[in-house]
Amino acid sequence: MNLHLRKPTSIGMDHAGPTNAIDGESRQERRRYLSVRAKFTITLVVALAWMLFSLLMAQRWIDELSRLTWPWLAWPTVVGIAVLPGFMNAFLVTGLLLDRRPVRAAIDNFPGITILVAAYNEQDSILSTLESLDKQDYPGAMQVLVINDGSTDGTMERLRTVSYPWLQVLDLERNRGKAGALNEGLKLARHAYTITLDGDSYLYRNALRNLVGRFLSDPPNTAAVAGCVLLRNSRLNMVTKMQEWDYFHGIAAIKRLQSLFQGTLVAQGAFSLYRTDVLGEVGGWPECVGEDIVLTWSILDRGDRVGYCEDAITFTNAPTTFRQFIRQRQRWSRGLIEAFKLHWRLLFRARMITLFIWWNLLFPYMDAVYTLGFIPGVFLALFGYYWLAGPMTLLVLPMAFVVNYLMYSIQSRMFRSQGLKVRRNPVGFVVYALFYGMVLQPGCVLGYVSELLNLRKHWGTK
């Protein structure tokens, strides 16, 4: 197994910096080129300017709230609800406006890939997942390992009904958890690149070709690339309809921006590519509830880069009830704390992605302020007390509107390029815009507290 396959020279990569051999590029285009560091500097300056403006505008409300409560409570409350979200939205808008997707290199020979599918009680979807793999027409060698992780339903019976030349099934007698199942599959990986795919996912056309092509075109220090995960069951009910906008808007936009600045923070287990040798060097997937988050931070801790491929698309199932949804986000929040416990040194690295590490460090504080301050403030506003939810929140709304419009425009263009159409979901968007945070952020707070107190871990939904 060639674990040190050389990547072709990257051509015209915006994220990697300018190159000397860009097909058809004119001198004028070269003069207009902005380096990634220049884009980062511009983005940071704009975001800081917006934050300063927000802080000045909020001074009156901070003073009023200080008289009603105490200054030590008023300042962190207003900053957490209005000022910091304003900074993040301004950073997101500016970065996305400056972003240009890197041009893919021409690839004559695609390398072999190993695909790991950890399946636990996936009898209703595992065959369609394999069908989507069969339709990929990937031009290189493909090894697919389905690890039946001690399923108690008919998953194994379904797997016995199919036979593909590239398929190998590993049947674990007892449930090992997702990390354990993936590590068992990794022992049998034959190729230099390993891709993970959830057992209820459906790959869209050319997803594998696009994902591998993106990796081979990215900077040489890239060790992993996250694919684009969208919802497969988004029309089921209101819970999935509102999540559709989170995956379509928020998650995709953040990964795109992080990739621009050289470090996507989560190569999600649902669909991502990794160098097999790097997986071995970091010890595979850790035994924790946020195995994909911790693994990604282990890769970043080595000094490697993690990218994102917006047009390598897989459709997956989201939680269908509020209970499942909250449990999922609690698990993600616990995974974030697990990552900080193991890789806190990332906070002090001189890299562009360090900003995003600090950004994530602020999430527990912001989620707590939103849960304990803003949500009660909304109810107080209904009775005419506009201490928190009122004029102050207008500081966030203009930039939030721009963010949503920009994310929609970018994702819509990507959809059209892939022959997809954005389905109408106005009710889901209204619920997402107005009420998503009121469900999401209290759940996240519970996850942070559970991990900090080392409470019993429930893997729950993915």
Side-chain angles (χ1 to χ4, degrees):
M1 178 169 64
N2 178 19
L3 296 183
H4 302 285
L5 183 65
R6 291 180 61 86
K7 293 165 65 174
T9 301
S10 302
I11 300 176
M13 294 183 301
D14 183 23
H15 290 204
T19 64
N20 294 324
I22 301 178
D23 234 358
E25 183 189 48
S26 67
R27 293 181 180 178
Q28 184 179 6
E29 288 171 331
R30 282 196 292 268
R31 282 197 298 269
R32 288 202 304 263
Y33 180 84
L34 272 178
S35 70
V36 174
R37 291 197 176 276
K39 292 179 180 180
F40 181 82
T41 301
I42 293 170
T43 303
L44 184 59
V45 168
V46 171
L48 287 172
W50 181 267
M51 184 176 72
L52 179 60
F53 169 75
S54 299
L55 193 58
L56 292 173
M57 292 294 294
Q59 186 63 54
R60 176 186 169 188
W61 296 311
I62 293 174
D63 293 341
E64 291 178 354
L65 189 59
S66 296
R67 288 193 293 270
L68 291 167
T69 56
W70 304 275
W72 60 265
L73 181 62
W75 272 92
T77 300
V78 174
V79 168
I81 293 174
V83 179
L84 284 176
F87 167 83
M88 293 176 177
N89 283 336
F91 192 94
L92 188 59
V93 166
T94 310
L96 290 175
L97 288 173
L98 293 174
D99 183 34
R100 298 294 182 271
R101 290 286 91 187
V103 177
R104 283 191 177 88
I107 302 170
D108 296 325
N109 297 303
F110 276 77
I113 54 175
T114 294
I115 301 173
L116 303 181
V117 184
Y120 176 69
N121 289 349
E122 301 287 5
Q123 65 176 11
D124 296 330
S125 55
I126 189 63
L127 294 187
S128 65
T129 299
L130 296 177
E131 178 187 352
S132 75
L133 282 164
D134 192 46
K135 291 180 177 179
Q136 283 295 296
D137 192 27
Y138 180 71
M142 187 169 75
Q143 173 197 20
V144 177
L145 286 162
V146 176
I147 307 98
N148 178 43
D149 188 23
S151 297
T152 57
D153 65 353
T155 299
M156 195 60 206
E157 285 68 28
R158 297 286 198 281
L159 289 169
R160 291 192 182 100
T161 66
V162 294
S163 176
Y164 296 102
W166 35 258
L167 176 62
Q168 180 180 351
V169 177
L170 182 61
D171 188 17
L172 304 182
E173 292 184 358
R174 64 180 182 85
N175 180 256
R176 297 279 302 276
K178 190 172 184 179
L182 290 174
N183 286 328
E184 288 299 316
L186 183 62
K187 295 175 183 178
L188 303 176
R190 296 198 302 261
H191 297 292
Y193 303 109
T194 296
I195 293 173
T196 57
L197 184 68
D198 275 353
D200 62 351
S201 296
Y202 193 93
L203 290 175
Y204 188 59
R205 66 186 187 192
N206 296 327
L208 295 179
R209 183 192 292 262
N210 290 346
L211 187 64
V212 174
R214 174 78 279 138
F215 176 86
L216 295 176
S217 302
D218 271 3
N221 65 329
T222 301
V225 173
C228 176
V229 179
L230 300 174
L231 291 199
R232 188 178 182 182
N233 61 340
S234 61
R235 286 298 182 265
L236 187 62
N237 56 35
M238 188 53 63
V239 178
T240 59
K241 284 181 179 180
M242 72 173 187
Q243 288 178 84
E244 178 179 41
W245 288 104
D246 190 19
Y247 280 80
F248 181 75
H249 265 197
I251 294 175
I254 291 294
K255 287 184 181 296
R256 191 181 185 112
L257 187 68
Q258 291 173 348
S259 177
L260 166 63
F261 295 129
Q262 306 295 301
T264 303
L265 293 191
V266 183
Q268 70 286 331
F271 185 42
S272 291
L273 178 149
Y274 311 85
R275 278 174 45 194
T276 306
D277 60 331
V278 171
L279 288 175
E281 290 170 12
V282 300
W285 286 267
E287 294 286 348
C288 57
V289 295
E291 73 286 331
D292 48 3
I293 302 175
V294 178
L295 170 64
T296 307
W297 285 34
S298 297
I299 294 171
L300 293 171
D301 211 1
R302 289 166 38 97
D304 292 325
R305 175 185 178 276
V306 178
Y308 171 64
C309 184
E310 74 283 355
D311 58 359
I313 300 171
T314 188
F315 293 93
T316 193
N317 289 326
T320 58
T321 68
F322 278 111
R323 176 182 172 83
Q324 291 175 347
F325 170 71
I326 292 173
R327 288 190 66 183
Q328 179 199 58
R329 297 314 168 99
Q330 283 182 278
R331 188 179 73 81
W332 290 8
S333 299
R334 296 193 72 159
L336 178 64
I337 302 300
E338 288 172 333
F340 272 114
K341 286 179 177 179
L342 292 171
H343 302 291
W344 55 268
R345 293 177 184 83
L346 285 172
L347 288 165
F348 307 102
R349 299 288 176 83
R351 299 166 67 183
M352 287 181 287
I353 64 162
T354 301
L355 175 67
F356 295 108
I357 302 293
W358 282 95
W359 189 315
N360 276 257
L361 186 63
L362 291 171
F363 281 159
Y365 153 61
M366 293 171 60
D367 289 341
V369 170
Y370 184 94
T371 301
L372 301 176
F374 182 74
I375 294 178
V378 170
F379 289 100
L380 287 172
L382 296 176
F383 296 97
Y385 298 100
Y386 302 106
W387 298 335
L388 289 172
M392 183 196 65
T393 58
L394 297 177
L395 290 173
V396 182
L397 293 180
M399 195 59 70
F401 174 80
V402 175
V403 167
N404 277 281
Y405 176 78
L406 184 59
M407 289 189 295
Y408 181 82
S409 299
I410 290 172
Q411 284 292 88
S412 296
R413 286 198 298 271
M414 185 275 288
F415 261 46
R416 289 193 295 270
S417 72
Q418 294 297 301
L420 290 167
K421 183 179 180 181
V422 181
R423 296 185 297 189
R424 293 178 60 84
N425 183 11
V427 176
F429 179 76
V430 171
V431 175
Y432 166 74
L434 297 180
F435 304 110
Y436 194 70
M438 294 186 181
V439 178
L440 169 66
Q441 286 164 288
C444 291
V445 170
L446 290 175
Y448 302 136
V449 172
S450 297
E451 184 59 31
L452 290 171
L453 296 178
N454 288 318
L455 300 182
R456 182 182 177 186
K457 297 184 179 183
H458 301 275
W459 268 250
T461 186
K462 63 179 181 171

